[in-house]
Amino acid sequence: MKRSTFVAALSAALLGVNALPALAQDNYPSKTIRFVVPYPPGGPTDLMARMLQGELSTRLGVTVIVDNKGGAGGNLGSAEVAKQAPADGYTLLLAASGPMAVNPTLYRSMPFVPMTDLAPVIQISAFPLVLEVHPSVPVNSVKELIALAQKPSSQLAFASAGNGTPQHLAGEIFNTQMNTKISHIPYRGAGPALNDLIGGQVQVMFDILGSSLPHIQGGKLKPLAVTSAKRHPSLPNVPTMIEAGVPGYELTGWHGIAVRAGTPASVVQKLNTTLNAIFNDPEFKKKWEAIGTPVVGGTSQQFGELIRKETARLGQVVKNAGVTVD
């Protein structure tokens, strides 16, 4: 009896040890979640994280903290999640198209490999950009901007949220296609770049529509064109870049959420299910669309496929435009 009791106890103990990881997954989440934004506060990426912060906290029942880690075109914050965070779902990354799909071609050396070091959770945005100028710039169309930029005396400069961001890529493609030499000034995020554009320290910017729209509506910025295939309903009188005379010009920035590779599939699925539920809420959906992007959502596999395709497509765009930061 004693021997059988001992064996039973030992078996139960071993079973308990082996069950610990599964138990931890079943209890997810049970502590604070850190939500890393790889850009400074104030830009559209930061805005999206803060809109989701409260919703995630309420639905998951734990505190969610937004942590801004800007630098190197989004590489620093993204690499921290990809290489340093535990693979347990308690560190989320606001994954932007720059570090996820553009930077692997733009930078000679990357501190992480998006496709293998990170696990996709869900796509959350698909933003068109808007080509805009400070009201002091004496142009009212893309053709007038091109003519001004091509003058030998031109000192125009365009701001971006940093090297490798959609704002940077959009400006470089424009320079290549239109044979202009508008100087690039990279900032540590879209917020600081937009502030200097509004202040007149820089004259031109391709910005994500959602963050610039209030300033356009307030007369602080002058829109010339949008980079989407169709006109945006928020700016029905503003032409697309193609309509404005830039052949084949179409570029959309996107965002999603990712975690470190190796995070349990059950945790990724719970995050995906929770986020889809947030985006299916009519009240939240209305607020989300008000910042200039449709609700996307979908499966983690669909977001992974987007990253794969966009890495190839945008990488080729970078090569064709001859853009480099090294």
Side-chain angles (χ1 to χ4, degrees):
M1 290 293 292
K2 289 184 178 180
R3 184 176 183 278
S4 61
T5 302
F6 172 76
V7 171
L10 180 61
S11 298
L14 290 174
L15 180 61
V17 169
N18 292 332
L20 282 177
L23 183 62
Q25 294 172 32
D26 291 341
N27 290 340
Y28 176 86
S30 58
K31 62 181 181 180
T32 297
I33 292 174
R34 188 165 69 107
F35 198 172
V36 176
V37 177
Y39 299 102
T45 311
D46 178 62
L47 173 62
M48 287 185 288
R50 294 183 188 279
M51 288 180 69
L52 289 170
Q53 178 183 18
E55 293 288 334
L56 284 169
S57 181
T58 298
R59 291 172 184 266
L60 293 175
V62 296
T63 301
V64 177
I65 298 174
V66 173
D67 189 5
N68 296 87
K69 295 282 184 178
N75 282 350
L76 292 183
S78 301
E80 181 176 323
V81 177
K83 290 295 188 180
Q84 299 177 29
D88 56 7
Y90 288 97
T91 306
L92 311 182
L93 172 68
L94 203 302
S97 54
M100 296 298 291
V102 177
N103 290 359
T105 302
L106 190 66
Y107 285 80
R108 189 176 302 165
S109 177
M110 283 281 286
F112 72 106
V113 180
M115 291 296 296
T116 58
D117 292 337
L118 291 166
V121 174
I122 192 171
Q123 183 184 358
I124 64 172
S125 81
F127 276 106
L129 305 180
V130 56
L131 169 56
E132 57 198 5
V133 296
H134 186 268
S136 64
V137 181
V139 302
N140 292 295
S141 68
V142 173
K143 289 184 178 179
E144 291 178 358
L145 177 65
I146 293 169
L148 179 61
Q150 288 177 340
K151 290 183 178 180
S153 59
S154 173
Q155 295 184 341
L156 290 176
F158 78 91
S160 83
N163 291 320
T165 59
Q167 295 94 329
H168 174 209
L169 195 59
E172 296 291 0
I173 295 170
F174 182 80
N175 274 336
T176 300
Q177 287 193 229
M178 297 294 101
N179 193 30
T180 55
K181 295 183 179 179
I182 305 176
S183 301
H184 173 225
I185 301 180
Y187 287 77
R188 289 178 60 87
L194 191 57
N195 287 338
D196 270 12
L197 179 67
I198 293 169
Q201 285 82 11
V202 66
Q203 300 81 36
V204 183
M205 186 173 180
F206 284 85
D207 190 29
I208 289 174
L209 180 58
S211 55
S212 283
L213 188 58
H215 306 294
I216 291 172
Q217 294 170 334
K220 296 179 181 179
L221 296 174
K222 191 183 336 182
L224 302 182
V226 292
T227 65
S228 48
K230 297 180 180 180
R231 295 192 182 196
H232 197 276
S234 298
L235 297 173
N237 297 321
V238 177
T240 67
M241 291 289 286
I242 295 173
E243 290 175 332
V246 186
Y249 195 108
E250 183 183 345
L251 187 67
T252 302
W254 48 262
H255 300 81
I257 292 176
V259 291
R260 186 170 182 177
T263 297
S266 60
V267 171
V268 172
Q269 184 57 53
K270 182 162 187 177
L271 288 168
N272 178 273
T273 300
T274 302
L275 286 157
N276 272 309
I278 292 171
F279 288 124
N280 285 329
D281 180 86
E283 186 176 344
F284 184 84
K285 182 178 179 180
K286 186 176 180 180
K287 293 177 182 178
W288 193 257
E289 290 176 342
I291 67 174
T293 177
V295 165
V296 183
T299 67
S300 58
Q301 291 79 11
Q302 287 171 329
F303 183 36
E305 183 65 11
L306 173 76
I307 296 169
R308 187 187 67 78
K309 289 182 177 179
E310 286 287 89
T311 299
R313 185 182 74 85
L314 295 176
Q316 192 59 51
V317 168
V318 170
K319 292 177 182 178
N320 293 343
V323 184
T324 181
V325 297
D326 292 325

